[in-house]
Amino acid sequence: SYELTQPPSVSVSPGQTASITCSGDKLGDKYVSWYQQKPGQSPVVVIYQDTKRPSGIPERLSGSNSGNTATLTISGTQAMDEADYYCQAWDSSNVVFGGGTKLTVL
Amino acid sequence: EVQLVESGGGLIQPGGSLRLSCGASGFTVSSNYMSWVRQAPGKGLEWVSIIYSGGRTLYADSVKGRFTISRDNSKNTLYLQMNSLRAEDTAVYYCAKRGGADSYDFWGQGTMVTVSS
């Protein structure tokens, strides 16, 4: 079965850039979405179709996808960005989520 | 405004059955792809099932043969019938609406299912 691999945790200082990776076989051939989930809340899509931001999502969040790796980049990270982030893609009629990355803003 | 409201969760013994409901407003369930996604306590997101607008259904291997996704067009409601429940099915269950490019653009608040004796 298809797997998406994310680092369990990423730490960043306020104002710096955070990068969260998502790896999978030929992931660049698929569309990747990213979800933000804060404690006790439902997931919220922050990036879809690799690079697109839904309305209301700050421009400091951006996405890329090439080869075997998709990346969520948060520029000028703020305390409010501290959350769990999940990548997601479709493979052979199955929806796959990455294991999630806890972003800590120190 | 799009809203999804899950209900039906609770405490159930192993081997038991439960039916979850997801009431939708602001859009038509039958015209969209709808999924159930679950999250075990302290764990990540796990896709459970999807129903396409045309009625085709798919399931994760972990629930295939035990869970059934369905919808009631007259009530604009999505369901998940869960049979032969196991301890490992304990999770918050979310319903989600598929949006553009295979993403999920709206999620419900979730309903907790606890399988324990």
Side-chain angles (χ1 to χ4, degrees):
Chain A
S1 61
Y2 194 78
E3 293 186 357
L4 294 175
T5 301
Q6 298 180 235
S9 63
V10 169
S11 298
V12 64
S13 299
Q16 299 303 302
T17 297
S19 295
I20 300 173
T21 58
C22 174
S23 300
D25 186 48
K26 298 179 181 178
L27 185 57
D29 293 341
K30 310 176 191 300
Y31 281 142
V32 174
S33 301
W34 289 91
Y35 301 87
Q36 177 191 73
Q37 187 181 34
K38 296 182 178 180
Q41 298 184 17
S42 302
V44 173
V45 61
V46 294
I47 295 289
Y48 69 98
Q49 199 172 326
D50 298 337
T51 62
K52 299 184 185 301
R53 274 186 313 275
S55 60
I57 301 301
E59 289 186 9
R60 65 177 183 276
L61 276 72
S62 62
S64 64
N65 183 21
S66 179
N68 294 322
T69 303
T71 303
L72 173 68
T73 301
I74 307 175
S75 305
T77 306
Q78 301 180 7
M80 65 182 295
D81 298 323
E82 187 163 286
D84 293 328
Y85 291 85
Y86 297 90
C87 59
Q88 173 252 312
W90 283 66
D91 176 72
S92 301
S93 300
N94 280 292
V95 179
V96 183
F97 286 95
T101 298
K102 181 176 182 59
L103 177 67
T104 301
V105 182
L106 299 171
Chain B
E1 179 190 8
V2 170
Q3 278 197 321
L4 295 167
V5 180
E6 300 96 335
S7 60
L11 175 63
I12 187 76
Q13 291 189 339
S17 298
L18 210 55
R19 189 179 80 157
L20 306 183
S21 300
C22 172
S25 58
F27 74 101
T28 302
V29 166
S30 61
S31 299
N32 287 271
Y33 295 2
M34 298 292 297
S35 274
W36 288 95
V37 177
R38 68 184 181 183
Q39 185 171 35
K43 302 298 184 182
L45 301 173
E46 180 189 14
W47 173 76
V48 173
S49 181
I50 188 170
I51 183 167
Y52 291 94
S53 53
R56 182 188 180 200
T57 59
L58 294 170
Y59 300 91
D61 288 344
S62 58
V63 306
K64 201 172 294 183
R66 300 188 299 123
F67 289 11
T68 302
I69 190 172
S70 63
R71 65 191 182 207
D72 185 328
N73 297 345
S74 66
K75 295 182 179 179
N76 208 33
T77 297
L78 179 74
Y79 300 101
L80 185 68
Q81 177 67 43
M82 304 186 296
N83 299 329
S84 303
L85 283 161
R86 306 166 180 166
E88 53 264 36
D89 296 320
T90 294
V92 174
Y93 284 74
Y94 297 100
C95 64
K97 169 185 167 295
R98 202 193 81 157
D102 299 335
S103 68
Y104 289 104
D105 57 357
F106 289 96
W107 297 65
Q109 85 288 352
T111 187
M112 182 70 202
V113 172
T114 302
V115 184
S116 175
S117 55

